[in-house]
Each structure stands twice: as structure tokens, then as C-alpha cells.
Amino acid sequence: MALTDTDLRDVLADRASAMPADISLARVAAVDRRVRVIRRRRAAGASLAVVILLLVVTGVSGLFRDPHDRTAPVPAHLQKVAGDLLPRYNGGGQATAYTSFSTDVKRESTFTFTPTSRNFLVSFRCDKDMPQSQSVTVTVDGKPFMAGGCNAGITTSGPTFGAEQARADDLGLRLGVPVKVLVHVAQIVKGSKVTPEDLPVYRGPMAVYRIGVAAYSPMSVADYPFPPRPRTLESLDAGPNSENRLLGKVDSRSVGADGHGVVQTTLTSKGVQFELYAVAPGAVTMTVDNQPVDVARFWTWQGSGYGGLVLTPDALRRLGVDVKAGDRITVGFAGSRFTDPGWRAEVREGS
Amino acid sequence: MAERRDFDEFVVTRSSRLLRTAFLLTRDWALAEDLLQTALAKSWFAWGRLDDNPEPYVRKVLVNTYASWWRRRWRAETPTESLPDSQAHGPDPTAQVDDRDELWQALGRLPRRQQAVIVLRYFEDLTEAQTADVLGVSTGTVKSQTSKALARLRLDPDLAAHPILNGGR
């Protein structure tokens, strides 16, 4: 069979037609990041001569420094607040208001926070793990904000995708207007109306904990003090795995650091659940039938998980995806801002 | 700000087509996305100087970035569709699929510049003059690169049984 120019055109058109789900919106953010990187490189090149001069000057002046002066500025990504329990920079934001206290002195504390963005975060952390019968509750101007056990890990609460305004409305927030944040440590009593029957009862005096709570205002990615890349990244396979039925997965080790991949599945009434794990800073945009439905942002080189929210057919329709149970859907994951292939994503059946 | 809006709008509405061109060059969708984003980021810095139709400029940046240094991945293609049942009479449709796979593989063995010329001429449907402008070469060079690419395909061992007819535009 002879091949003609037409066959050549047909082969090229045929191959190009098998394009994965369009991620034009995510591409805008990815290109923006690359533009910023190019700008920083250009600025660094221009100021290199100045840096060299300064290094020479400080090197000379260092000869005359007090040899007993051991103070040195702590790198931004290592600075702590709230009794040294929380990082100054966390989750893409800077702590602008915080408190810390010890439970042998008091059971609650308040601080004033002025939100400048609806995407603010609140984090808390304890110096050791609380038992299940104890919990920390946080209210904002008297309205419930977050609650849960407190341990040596950082617990962070932020608005879910597309719900920033709804959260602000629920809390009665207005940007620029201060709010009162109350942190309270409670001991749950078995048999109370809010206590599951199988919750263990803590008998005896409450142990002494130090608790730190901070409110973070989001920063631009360009200004955020990312920690330096470690020599070796943590294993991407070490992250948590849900027990829900696996429907498909996308791994940056296959698609590339800022690559994208899709999972096609049939939507059931249980919905779908996205579970992501990352060991590098970056963002992953999640789409369903090309409509963005969530964005997971990672800010450290420590393994971090993201997910758990179940997207039922109703939830997807509220996010602008016109689907119903039984429809075939295409779930997309697109990485951006990653310098390493350090993320993986799973689509699981909702529970 | 207006420039930024125009740029973002271009990325949202027009970049998908350029992604297809990037794929035909890199032969990998992930690499194609990387190449496209690199080209778009480079194009941003010239955006204020471009006229109302920036797509030719972005295409130029994309192809030249590819041709100058982009790495290309070699991997075997796997069929994504089930083959039709064989027919009792008429041409064997599976043979046509095999021919196209072989042609796609052969295209991947071309040198980068020749592959870029083939993609611009036969997918983007550019004239010799337009192709020369994209690649920053003369029309004579485009003609010779096209001829060399077709000659290589003609001599490709996997396509040796399927001579390419000389066609021109």
C-alpha cells in the first residue's frame, strides 16, 4: 500500500487528536510560575556583582567581629512562633496572630486576628499527644471554627475549594475587621450527648500540655520562604493509603513534575474521593470533566497528605460539573510549581 | 494588567492547539505540556510587542525551543482502540493501522529539524515561506529539509515496502 501526503497528514492529525483532558486553566497558573522563575533568575544575574561586593565587604568586616557573638539570624523557614510550637510560615501563609499557653495554668486563651484574605488558615499544635477524651476547640467571634484532638503534628484548617466566601459568610467575617479567636481545651465526659459511646474515658487530672495556636495570612508564592531542597527526597510510596476502592491513579514519576494525567471512571452515588500525597512543594489542580474542583497546595519537602473530601454527584453539580450517578467522568490531575516529580494522586470510591 | 488578561485569555483559548503541535514534536503528552509552558513563559516577555495575532510568534518559540535543545522520549506506542474484525473481502483494515503505526514510528526517527518541518507543513499546513519564517531559515532550506525528510522515510526499513509518492504544494 502506497503512502501519500494525505496519509502523512492523517497520521499526524490522528495522533494529535488523542489529547488528554484540557487543562487550560491550570496551565495559566503553571506558566505564571515559570514567568516568575525567569524573572528571579534575571534579577539574580543582574545583582550578582552587587552580592559579590557585599560578600567581600562583610568578609573583611568579619575579621573585626566580636568572636563571642554567636547570634545569627534564623532562616525564615525555620522561625517559630506561639511558644516555639508553630512555624512562622506555614501552608503558604505567615502567622500574623497567635497565642500559646500551658494547661496547668489555664484551659483557654484568646487572641485578636485581622483577616486580610478569605483564604486565611488557623493551625494548632501541642507539645505531646492528647488522649481521645480531650480536644481543642477554636471559635471565631463565638462561632465554631475547628475542633479536634491535639498532638505533636500541626492541625490546620482552611476553606475548601470555592468555599472561601461561604466560610467567611458563616463566620460573619469582613476583611480588615478584627475578630476574636478563642482556644479552649475540653475534657469529654462519657455519656454526654456529644460523646460516642465507645470513646475512652479519661479519669484523673488533665495532663499538662503546651498548646500553640496561630492564624496565617496567605502570601504570594514568590515571597513565600520555601525551605531548601534536601539532598534526598522522602519516598513518595511511603504516604498513607485509603482503604476505599481504588479507581485509578496518577503519579508524577510517570507524567512529570508539572505533568498531568487522567483517570476515567463511572460515577456512582457514593461519589469519588481524591487522595494526594506529596514530598515536594507545588500544587495539584484536580478537574472533573475539565472543570476545576479542587487544588491541593504543598509547601514543604516533608511528606504531606491531602484529601478525604467526598465529591458526590450533588457536590460535583454544586461545583459546576453537570453529572449524575452512572455517568462516565474524566478526573484530571495537573501539577504546577513542582521542581521534582514529588506527588501522586489516587481516585477512590467515596464512602 | 490588560496585557496580562490578553495573555491569560490566549493561554486558555488557544494553547490547546499548540499543545497538539508540541506533542507531535516531543511524542509525549507530559513533555509536550512542559515544552508548551516553556514557550508560553518565554513569549510572555515579548507580549507587549506582538500584534493582534500572537499565535505565530508562540509557535515559533515553541518549535525553535524544541529544535534547539528539547529532549525527546522514545517509547513504543500501544494501541488505544480495539482493531476491527477482519473482513472477508476488501482491504485488510488492520494492515492500514499497522502502516500508520509504522509511519508514526518512522517520523520519530527523523532528525529534529526535519521532524519540525514535517509537522509544520503537514499538520499546521504552513506554506514553505511560513515554515521558513518559523524556523528562521530560507525557503530553499525548507524545501531541502522536506525532501530529505521524505527521502529518509522512503528509505526507512519499516516503510521500505510502502514507497512514498512525491507530492507537493
Side-chain angles (χ1 to χ4, degrees):
Chain A
M1 175 185 171
L3 291 171
T4 65
D5 284 2
T6 301
D7 287 331
L8 203 49
R9 290 196 177 88
D10 285 350
V11 165
L12 293 172
D14 180 59
R15 291 290 169 167
S17 68
M19 195 172 78
D22 186 27
I23 58 157
S24 301
L25 288 175
R27 189 175 296 135
V28 171
V31 172
D32 177 66
R33 174 196 170 252
R34 290 178 188 242
V35 167
R36 289 170 187 267
V37 170
I38 293 172
R39 280 203 182 113
R40 278 204 297 271
R41 284 181 187 153
R42 290 183 178 181
S47 62
L48 183 59
V50 174
V51 170
I52 291 174
L53 177 62
L54 286 176
L55 282 175
V56 170
V57 169
T58 55
V60 170
S61 65
L63 292 174
F64 302 96
R65 185 183 300 162
D66 181 351
H68 299 293
D69 181 6
R70 297 281 184 246
T71 61
V74 177
H77 69 278
L78 294 177
Q79 294 175 10
K80 302 281 191 191
V81 297
D84 277 353
L85 286 166
L86 289 166
R88 180 179 296 280
Y89 299 95
N90 177 46
Q94 178 181 8
T96 53
Y98 42 85
T99 187
S100 66
F101 59 98
S102 180
T103 56
D104 60 344
V105 176
K106 54 184 177 179
R107 295 287 185 88
E108 65 182 38
S109 179
T110 62
F111 63 90
T112 300
F113 167 60
T114 303
T116 55
S117 163
R118 293 181 187 86
N119 284 324
F120 71 90
L121 307 174
V122 175
S123 297
F124 61 68
R125 178 172 176 259
C126 291
D127 62 342
K128 48 183 179 284
D129 296 351
M130 277 185 178
Q132 290 184 20
S133 59
Q134 294 165 3
S135 70
V136 170
T137 61
V138 179
T139 61
V140 174
D141 277 352
K143 301 181 185 65
F145 183 79
M146 63 191 294
C150 190
N151 51 45
I154 299 175
T155 302
T156 299
S157 175
T160 55
F161 181 78
E164 300 86 359
Q165 185 64 53
R167 187 183 76 153
D169 291 343
D170 285 346
L171 294 171
L173 289 182
R174 282 183 295 161
L175 298 184
V177 177
V179 297
K180 177 179 163 183
V181 181
L182 170 70
V183 182
H184 177 78
V185 180
Q187 183 152 298
I188 302 169
V189 177
K190 184 174 181 179
S192 69
K193 293 179 182 178
V194 297
T195 308
E197 286 303 314
D198 58 352
L199 193 67
V201 174
Y202 176 76
R203 303 181 193 282
M206 178 178 284
V208 176
Y209 305 95
R210 285 198 312 118
I211 302 171
V213 187
Y216 293 84
S217 298
M219 303 169 64
S220 70
V221 172
D223 294 332
Y224 189 76
F226 287 96
R229 186 191 188 281
R231 183 185 299 273
T232 307
L233 297 191
E234 293 182 19
S235 168
L236 200 50
D237 295 318
N241 287 298
S242 166
E243 293 180 352
N244 290 10
R245 186 165 73 99
L246 179 66
L247 302 174
K249 47 188 170 182
V250 174
D251 196 311
S252 62
R253 289 169 290 189
S254 300
V255 302
D258 279 357
H260 64 88
V262 298
V263 170
Q264 293 186 319
T265 186
T266 300
L267 182 66
T268 69
S269 56
K270 290 184 179 180
V272 289
Q273 199 167 1
F274 304 151
E275 302 286 348
L276 284 83
Y277 188 70
V279 296
V284 180
T285 299
M286 293 156 264
T287 59
V288 174
D289 289 349
N290 206 31
Q291 176 72 23
V293 295
D294 206 352
V295 178
R297 295 185 174 88
F298 303 93
W299 303 91
T300 75
W301 297 96
Q302 294 173 311
S304 320
Y306 180 91
L309 189 65
V310 177
L311 292 174
T312 60
D314 275 347
L316 286 169
R317 282 194 291 274
R318 284 196 295 274
L319 289 169
V321 188
D322 185 17
V323 290
K324 58 184 184 304
D327 284 351
R328 194 84 179 147
I329 60 172
T330 299
V331 180
F333 297 94
S336 59
R337 285 199 289 107
F338 285 97
T339 56
D340 293 80
W343 62 272
R344 62 178 174 82
E346 294 177 348
V347 181
R348 292 185 178 266
E349 189 172 50
S351 52
Chain B
M1 280 298 289
E3 271 185 18
R4 185 53 201 262
R5 277 198 301 272
D6 288 343
F7 179 78
D8 288 351
E9 184 180 343
F10 176 86
V11 173
V12 171
T13 60
R14 308 277 285 279
S15 62
S16 293
R17 175 170 172 78
L18 290 166
L19 180 67
R20 298 179 203 273
T21 303
F23 169 74
L24 292 175
L25 295 172
T26 61
R27 306 169 69 82
D28 180 278
W29 286 111
L31 288 176
E33 184 66 40
D34 269 347
L35 174 59
L36 174 61
Q37 289 180 17
T38 299
L40 287 168
K42 286 181 178 179
S43 300
W44 160 247
F45 291 95
W47 204 255
R49 304 191 298 273
L50 302 180
D51 58 23
D52 291 339
N53 181 19
E55 188 165 338
Y57 178 83
V58 180
R59 183 187 300 113
K60 193 172 188 174
V61 173
L62 186 145
V63 173
N64 285 310
T65 300
Y66 168 75
S68 61
W69 62 272
W70 205 261
R71 59 193 167 88
R72 186 165 50 170
R73 174 180 291 186
W74 295 94
R75 70 175 181 190
E77 294 296 322
T78 54
T80 57
E81 295 175 359
S82 56
L83 298 178
D85 293 332
S86 59
Q87 298 175 3
H89 303 285
D92 180 1
T94 62
Q96 186 176 34
V97 172
D98 288 340
D99 289 347
R100 292 195 172 192
D101 279 347
E102 287 171 358
L103 179 55
W104 173 244
Q105 296 297 331
L107 284 166
R109 290 189 281 271
L110 292 176
R112 285 181 188 162
R113 277 221 175 263
Q114 289 178 18
Q115 189 177 21
V117 166
I118 293 295
V119 170
L120 292 172
R121 297 275 283 126
Y122 293 95
F123 176 71
E124 292 278 3
D125 271 338
L126 300 187
T127 64
E128 286 174 351
Q130 290 168 331
T131 302
D133 180 59
V134 168
L135 294 175
V137 299
S138 67
T139 53
T141 300
V142 170
K143 284 182 187 177
S144 71
Q145 289 289 313
T146 304
S147 296
K148 286 179 182 175
L150 295 177
R152 269 184 99 105
L153 290 172
R154 192 179 302 123
L155 293 173
D156 189 283
D158 288 347
L159 297 179
H162 311 289
I164 298 171
L165 298 179
N166 283 323
R169 288 193 309 133

